[in-house]
Every structure is written in structure tokens, then in C-alpha cells.
Amino acid sequence: MKQEIIIEETRFTPAVYFEQDNKLLVISGRSIPENPEKIYGKIQDWIENYLNNNDDLDIDIRFDYLNSGSSKYLFYIIKHLSSLQKKNKNIKVVWYYEEDDESMQELGEYISAAFDIPVKLEVFEEN
């Protein structure tokens, strides 16, 4: 399983990597950067470049926490994914949250309802 690292995880930014064999983009960790546009701009650019040459992409989103600035930019990305799906791209999004984390569950539910792209909600266990 070859992995391409897009963004290294820090105390303030999530890890973002791509599992080429599975066509899976994973975004996980904390997202509390001072300038979220820098991180999410890189993610947006990567997705755009990837989907220019490919039709399928699965995205796993596993945030421990994300601030309002990060949410805003994530919403832009999800909205863009929705428009790409209308152009015959096969995009699947899975939103993971901890069982007792109501705010992350509600955010996933909001994203699922607000955007025209299927978002599957899944509970994950913190290691």
C-alpha cells in the first residue's frame, strides 16, 4: 500500500495522506491551525489535481477536534466535491467520530444533510 504524504501531522494540523492502492484520502487528527486556508488549500489543490486524471476517490475524515476556521474550509472542500460528483466523479466520504463525541457527530450529520454528496457516518474507537 503505497502512501503519499500530503501534510504531516502536527499539534495544530491533521495528517493528510493518500493510500494509492485503495484510492483513499485520509484526513485525521486535530485541526486548529492559525491559517487554515494554507492547509485546506493544499488539500483542495491535491483533490483537484487527482480528480483531473482519475474518476474515483474515497475520503476518510477522522477529526479529534476542528475549530470553526477549519470547518469553514472543510465545507468549501465538501461543496466542491459535490460539484465534481455531478460531473461523473465517484466520490465517497466517510465521517468518523468517537461514540461519545456529540459535537463531531452533529457536524458530520450537518455535512451529510447540507451538501449534495453522500456522507456515511461511522463510530470509531480512540486508540
Side-chain angles (χ1 to χ4, degrees), residues 104-120:
M104 291 305 287
Q105 179 182 358
E106 289 171 0
L107 186 56
E109 289 169 351
Y110 171 78
I111 289 171
S112 181
F115 298 99
D116 191 21
I117 188 168
V119 177
K120 183 176 180 184

Side-chain angles (χ1 to χ4, degrees), residues 11-57:
R11 288 185 354 197
F12 305 106
T13 60
V16 182
Y17 61 91
F18 179 64
E19 295 178 3
Q20 186 173 356
D21 295 344
N22 298 322
K23 299 180 182 180
L24 175 65
L25 180 67
V26 178
I27 305 170
S28 67
R30 297 180 66 94
S31 186
I32 54 171
E34 193 170 305
N35 298 309
E37 65 276 2
K38 289 182 180 179
I39 281 69
Y40 291 93
K42 284 182 185 178
I43 296 169
Q44 177 74 26
D45 290 347
W46 185 92
I47 289 170
E48 188 71 31
N49 289 333
Y50 178 80
L51 289 174
N52 279 337
N53 300 309
N54 298 278
D55 291 329
D56 302 307
L57 180 63

